[in-house]
Amino acid sequence: MSSVLKIPNSIASRRHSLDWSHVGLPPREPQLRTGFAPSVIAIAAVIVGLFFGLTQYTELAENAQEQVERYYKYFIDVQIMIFIGFGFLMTFMRRYSYGAVSLNYFASALMFLEAILMIGATQQVFWNEHRTKIRIDMELLIDCAFCAASGMIAFGAIIGKATPTQLLWLLFWQVPLYALNQQLVIHTFKALDMGGTIVIHLFGAYYGLAASLMISRKQPLHGLDNPKNSGAYLNDIFSMIGTIFLFIYWPSFNGALASVSYADQEAATYAEKSAQFLAIVNTLLSLLGAVLSVFASSALFGGRFNMVHIQNSTLAGGVAMGAACTLRLTPGGALSVGLGAGFISTVGFQYIMPFLDRTIGLGDTCGVHNLHGMPAVVGTLVAGLAALGQHSDYLEHSTGGQQLGYEVLAGVVTMGIAIAGGLLGGFVVSWFNPCRDEAMAVPELFDDGPWWVGQRVEPMPISTSIHLSNLNSRHQKDGGGSTQRGNAANASVSAANGLQNNGESRRHGYSAPIAVSGVPAAAGHPGSPLGGQAPAHGVTAAGEIVVSVPFITFQQQQLAAAAAHRQQQEQQQHPQPAMSTAVLMGGAADTPLFNEDDVIGMETAVEPVQQPVRQPAYHPASPGPGNV
């Protein structure tokens, strides 16, 4: 016998539709209040205090206007790339556009402010000039914008899988590592890297990939097999806005710091005077070559154009040319670099990215390994090899051979620092949980629902649960260490369903797996949290999908448990065809799920009713709409 939960009118009045998306998922409002907001306040307080004590504006005297004329246009171009280009490029996910643009906005601002202190201290206090205070000038601000760009590259690898608090601390930790690595690459190794192929793209890509590997190691469906990790028509259009902005402003990005001041014009060499021109033209030709290469490669590999390739790989030419952009390459050479980088990036999206996702579980949401990682490796080698035929005025070392050696050394050290730092940062944010926040459940991945006002977690398709169940079954048969991912899948589904891992009663009083946000649990499965025990009351046997009435939180669900229970018994005796996901989630149906005449009252708690629906057996040899 069931009864109905008493719900405050203030809550019931806000619920006007059959929305099951929140059922079984932990509330995220307390997590943002107790974790994210205090973290931002603490970091802001520290930054403000250090700004008061350690920074000052540079002594401009007569060159104040020169600072603006020389750098400000390029500074604005770099800002547009970071806040518009990278932000909109990541809006391709149909359920994470709020997070893509807005968290990019927030994280870039945070990293920019922190970089003023970290890069300023590295360049001006600890090394080189040995000042007592950090002097803020336009050149330092551009360097800090580059640091934010590196952070947004790393963000692309973990977007949709990390909570805002985890993202905050991961990117906060990235800034001091970036400042240290930049000092080693530019000032210690004296590598050619005007456009940041090594210090920005290579570092950001592998830091983000390493962090993603640690964060998502216990998350099922954190990669390409998650249906929410996909685009939609309008999302892809918005993403192309980011692509076009990045394409237009990338020459400014690579050449922003390549100019010579008026005071140094007479003493500057021809190579120094022509550096900014070469950076702009070489980058533009490389980008144009990448566009041609990507369109041809995409059509060749798939028979149709792939929007993912067009959005991302067409920019690989700018990444690959960053280190060699100030060298006196031939126009054909610059064009060839772009052609090769575009092809390699497209191969990465088409073949390498799915392979890494399938074999080692490397969830790379935005494909930063293909757009930034591999083209950066190519660009590092291009700069070193191109240095072999250059005059010493264009180099940082006396011979091309030495320059090649230091380019390779800079690349190896950068990858080492980035991977080690990303693994450490990803482990810490995954392990350190003082507020005991619940991990993100499968339906919450790549979804704005848990974090934004007015948004709900989108229901997952039934096929997703079947995929998880099959995944677990395969790993259970494998035995031994192969069960890790299967167990992780069970744990995540259990968390999404509000289950305890040991099969004990759940937070909301449920005693059996339910279909949370459209994802049914594999009830009674040998590897499930029920530990293979007999199904509880209302749980179907193997081959059936459990569909549960959600925990009552709004008016439309204040309905009769007794009548629903009678319907359940009748349906067990006379099974009906499976209902569609739309019907299960409150869509139109011939018979309503609830009847107002069956309302018992509001004075006692309800034991949620579970309504089994039998699914037809799946036969691969007989495809059709009846098969699930």
Side-chain angles (χ1 to χ4, degrees):
M1 183 66 182
S2 302
S3 53
V4 180
L5 174 69
K6 181 177 180 180
I7 302 174
N9 292 332
S10 60
I11 297 178
S13 63
R14 296 197 298 268
R15 309 298 188 180
H16 300 291
S17 64
L18 286 174
D19 183 356
W20 296 10
S21 61
H22 67 290
V23 178
L25 300 177
R28 295 301 178 182
E29 292 85 353
Q31 181 172 340
L32 291 179
R33 290 194 181 105
T34 61
F36 180 79
S39 297
V40 176
I41 293 171
I43 291 174
V46 172
I47 289 177
V48 169
L50 293 176
F51 263 61
F52 273 113
L54 298 179
T55 64
Q56 66 181 29
Y57 294 134
T58 188
E59 298 295 334
L60 296 173
E62 298 178 355
N63 67 340
Q65 188 62 33
E66 181 191 349
Q67 277 267 314
V68 176
E69 293 176 356
R70 182 181 171 192
Y71 290 119
Y72 187 65
K73 175 196 175 300
Y74 293 97
F75 174 72
I76 291 297
D77 292 350
V78 174
Q79 292 285 85
I80 290 174
M81 288 186 65
I82 295 168
F83 290 98
I84 298 180
F86 284 119
F88 277 89
L89 180 64
M90 293 185 283
T91 59
F92 73 94
M93 284 184 293
R94 56 187 180 82
R95 288 294 303 164
Y96 208 80
S97 295
Y98 280 14
V101 175
S102 301
L103 293 178
N104 179 92
Y105 187 16
F106 161 77
S108 296
L110 170 72
M111 296 186 72
F112 197 111
L113 289 171
E114 186 186 358
I116 292 176
L117 296 171
M118 292 295 177
I119 297 178
T122 302
Q123 292 180 354
Q124 301 178 20
V125 178
F126 300 125
W127 283 283
N128 306 330
E129 302 176 24
H130 300 289
R131 295 173 177 169
T132 57
K133 282 195 173 184
I134 299 169
R135 293 186 180 180
I136 299 177
D137 56 17
M138 295 299 299
E139 191 172 0
L140 176 61
L141 295 181
I142 293 177
D143 259 337
C144 295
F146 286 160
C147 178
S150 181
M152 296 312 99
I153 293 169
F155 178 37
I158 60 177
I159 185 173
K161 298 179 292 186
T163 68
T165 308
Q166 290 176 327
L167 174 67
L168 165 69
W169 287 109
L170 270 174
L171 298 184
F172 181 85
W173 167 236
Q174 183 179 352
V175 176
L177 295 178
Y178 175 92
L180 173 63
N181 184 69
Q182 185 196 53
Q183 174 66 32
L184 292 174
V185 171
I186 303 301
H187 299 284
T188 302
F189 301 147
K190 296 186 182 299
L192 292 171
D193 197 27
M194 182 61 69
T197 292
I198 302 173
V199 299
I200 299 173
H201 301 284
L202 191 67
F203 180 83
Y206 286 100
Y207 178 89
L209 291 170
S212 175
L213 191 63
M214 295 301 294
I215 289 176
S216 57
R217 68 189 189 281
K218 294 182 180 179
Q219 289 178 337
L221 300 185
H222 64 264
L224 299 176
D225 52 355
N226 192 308
K228 294 185 183 180
N229 186 11
S230 61
Y233 191 83
L234 290 180
N235 293 80
D236 284 333
I237 295 298
F238 275 101
S239 182
M240 277 302 296
I241 293 175
T243 300
I244 299 301
F245 268 102
L246 289 169
F247 178 88
I248 293 173
Y249 290 104
W250 212 296
S252 295
F253 188 91
N254 283 358
L257 295 176
S259 61
V260 180
S261 66
Y262 298 151
D264 297 332
Q265 285 287 340
E266 293 184 2
T269 65
Y270 178 80
E272 292 172 337
K273 293 178 182 179
S274 62
Q276 194 165 52
F277 171 82
L278 291 173
I280 292 172
V281 177
N282 284 335
T283 302
L284 177 60
L285 292 176
S286 184
L287 285 166
L288 294 171
V291 172
L292 299 182
S293 176
V294 171
F295 272 86
S297 301
S298 183
L300 180 64
F301 295 150
R304 292 189 178 190
F305 300 125
N306 189 324
M307 202 59 175
V308 174
H309 303 163
I310 310 306
Q311 291 162 351
N312 295 275
S313 299
T314 53
L315 302 172
V319 176
M321 185 51 68
C325 63
T326 55
L327 296 178
R328 194 172 181 82
L329 303 175
T330 64
L335 185 61
S336 298
V337 171
L339 290 169
F343 176 79
I344 291 172
S345 180
T346 308
V347 170
F349 277 103
Q350 185 72 18
Y351 300 111
I352 299 177
M353 183 176 175
F355 174 77
L356 294 176
D357 185 280
R358 183 175 63 252
T359 54
I360 64 175
L362 180 60
D364 183 5
T365 307
C366 293
V368 299
H369 183 242
N370 314 308
L371 172 55
H372 301 277
M374 293 191 298
V377 173
V378 172
T380 302
L381 296 176
V382 166
L385 295 173
L388 296 175
Q390 298 288 317
H391 189 277
S392 60
D393 288 348
Y394 292 89
L395 309 178
E396 296 294 332
H397 293 274
S398 57
T399 65
Q402 289 180 334
Q403 192 69 59
L404 172 60
Y406 278 103
E407 292 292 322
V408 174
L409 177 62
V412 172
V413 170
T414 296
M415 290 186 66
I417 295 176
I419 293 174
L423 291 175
L424 178 60
F427 172 77
V428 171
V429 299
S430 300
W431 167 78
F432 186 68
N433 187 13
C435 298
R436 299 191 180 279
D437 299 321
E438 295 191 44
M440 292 182 67
V442 170
E444 295 178 299
L445 298 176
F446 313 109
D447 198 309
D448 281 325
W451 313 111
W452 293 93
V453 172
Q455 297 299 308
R456 285 288 189 177
V457 175
E458 182 185 78
M460 299 284 282
I462 297 295
S463 58
T464 303
S465 180
I466 297 173
H467 171 69
L468 284 177
S469 180
N470 292 337
L471 177 66
N472 178 73
S473 299
R474 288 197 302 269
H475 286 287
Q476 287 293 330
K477 291 178 180 179
D478 292 341
S482 300
T483 62
Q484 182 177 0
R485 291 186 67 185
N487 293 336
N490 277 328
S492 179
V493 173
S494 301
N497 289 341
L499 286 168
Q500 300 292 338
N501 288 335
N502 58 6
E504 296 176 355
S505 61
R506 295 195 302 236
R507 293 183 293 111
H508 295 313
Y510 295 108
S511 59
I514 63 170
V516 175
S517 299
V519 182
H525 192 279
S528 71
L530 296 177
Q533 300 174 4
H537 176 70
V539 183
T540 61
E544 296 176 338
I545 294 180
V546 179
V547 180
S548 305
V549 176
F551 185 68
I552 295 180
T553 54
F554 36 83
Q555 191 171 7
Q556 287 85 346
Q557 291 176 312
Q558 299 167 5
L559 305 169
H565 185 62
R566 288 195 301 271
Q567 292 177 4
Q568 171 194 352
Q569 291 178 336
E570 293 175 1
Q571 190 166 14
Q572 287 177 338
Q573 296 175 0
H574 306 286
Q576 300 294 327
M579 293 185 291
S580 67
T581 303
V583 174
L584 298 181
M585 298 310 297
D590 295 336
T591 303
L593 291 176
F594 306 103
N595 187 342
E596 293 183 357
D597 296 335
D598 296 325
V599 176
I600 297 176
M602 298 291 294
E603 301 300 327
T604 55
V606 65
E607 178 182 356
V609 179
Q610 294 178 327
Q611 184 179 15
V613 179
R614 295 182 182 276
Q615 290 282 18
Y618 173 70
H619 300 289
S622 58
N627 289 334
V628 178

